[in-house]
Amino acid sequence: DAGVTQSPTHLIKTRGQHVTLRCSPISGHKSVSWYQQVLGQGPQFIFQYYEKEERGRGNFPDRFSARQFPNYSSELNVNALLLGDSALYLCASSSGQPAGEQYFGPGTRLTVT
Amino acid sequence: LAKTTQPISMDSYEGQEVNITCSHNNIATNDYITWYQQFPSQGPRFIIQGYKTKVTNEVASLFIPADRKSSTLSLPRVSLSDTAVYYCLVGYIKAAGNKLTFGGGTRVLVKP
């Protein structure tokens, strides 16, 4: 079975630009969560979506938004990029059942210059 | 959300057993304890999960005392490839919301 896939793998943007990151969950998983991981720190929760609805939001500004599509894939959008947005962005899928394991994708490395 | 405390780093040698203890004093009744492994520039990988007592799988064991205020991840006979960051998470994932918080993790270095 294919695992969680993310695209693109790497991305370089300049300050003020907009970026869209994509994630495809494991087949059968209806929940997708997004995390930001700055170098040297643990992943920080950004959003969770389940059945196309936002079910959780971390402490991130409104420049960050996301959505989930009918096929359960998801997009993370970041507007007005700042240098501090440079990070590894991780997508994780789960079944949505309590204590369900999260399966992480390889991440998208975003560099803002 | 339950806060976790784990050592920043640990060194070990090939073939030894590595035990990482995580403190989670304010764990809630519905919370599970989950451990992830992460290599540089990769997504975290699920290792093991438990609610109480002891859980064992093909790669690790998880020991949880009766009060559930701590847990210990045990990696038997580590190899160089086990050098990674290990995260202890307390909470749960379900349709109603993501209640998981990653801490700083424990950086394990396995030496030859």
Side-chain angles (χ1 to χ4, degrees):
Chain A
D1 283 343
V4 177
T5 59
Q6 293 186 243
S7 64
T9 304
H10 295 87
L11 202 53
I12 300 175
K13 292 284 191 178
T14 57
R15 281 177 297 176
Q17 286 189 315
H18 162 91
V19 68
T20 297
L21 310 180
R22 296 177 175 84
C23 170
S24 292
I26 290 172
S27 177
H29 282 185
K30 298 180 179 180
S31 178
V32 170
S33 295
W34 287 94
Y35 292 83
Q36 180 196 65
Q37 187 173 26
V38 174
L39 196 62
Q41 299 180 19
Q44 299 298 306
F45 171 64
I46 308 175
F47 286 110
Q48 184 205 5
Y49 277 77
Y50 180 80
E51 288 282 16
K52 303 181 291 293
E53 292 188 6
E54 182 182 306
R55 298 301 181 100
R57 172 185 284 256
N59 187 26
F60 280 81
D62 292 343
R63 299 185 296 107
F64 288 77
S65 63
R67 56 179 176 168
Q68 187 176 35
F69 300 99
N71 66 354
Y72 303 113
S73 67
S74 178
E75 284 183 354
L76 175 70
N77 297 283
V78 186
N79 293 322
L81 286 167
L82 303 174
L83 294 179
D85 294 331
S86 295
L88 181 67
Y89 288 84
L90 296 162
C91 171
S93 79
S94 65
S95 63
Q97 297 302 312
E101 300 170 22
Q102 279 193 115
Y103 295 86
F104 284 82
T108 293
R109 172 70 65 187
L110 172 65
T111 301
V112 182
T113 62
Chain B
L1 297 176
K3 177 179 170 57
T4 60
T5 302
Q6 50 184 124
I8 294 175
S9 64
M10 297 179 70
D11 288 357
S12 184
Y13 291 92
E14 281 190 294
Q16 288 189 336
E17 179 182 78
V18 171
N19 296 304
I20 309 172
T21 296
C22 180
S23 297
H24 29 80
N25 291 321
N26 60 338
I27 187 169
T29 303
N30 295 331
D31 288 344
Y32 285 77
I33 300 159
T34 311
W35 286 81
Y36 284 85
Q37 174 194 55
Q38 188 178 28
F39 299 112
S41 297
Q42 294 186 24
R45 183 176 74 98
F46 173 88
I47 301 175
I48 198 166
Q49 183 181 75
Y51 184 80
K52 61 180 178 180
T53 64
K54 176 184 175 183
V55 180
T56 298
N57 62 21
E58 62 275 9
V59 298
S61 295
L62 179 60
F63 299 91
I64 305 170
D67 65 6
R68 302 202 327 126
K69 293 184 182 299
S70 67
S71 58
T72 299
L73 173 72
S74 180
L75 305 172
R77 298 179 300 281
V78 294
S79 64
L80 297 177
S81 63
D82 292 316
T83 293
V85 178
Y86 293 82
Y87 292 98
C88 163
L89 280 75
V90 173
Y92 55 86
I93 287 277
K94 63 178 183 180
N98 181 330
K99 303 297 183 186
L100 291 180
T101 302
F102 281 82
T106 297
R107 192 170 303 273
V108 173
L109 173 63
V110 180
K111 303 175 182 178

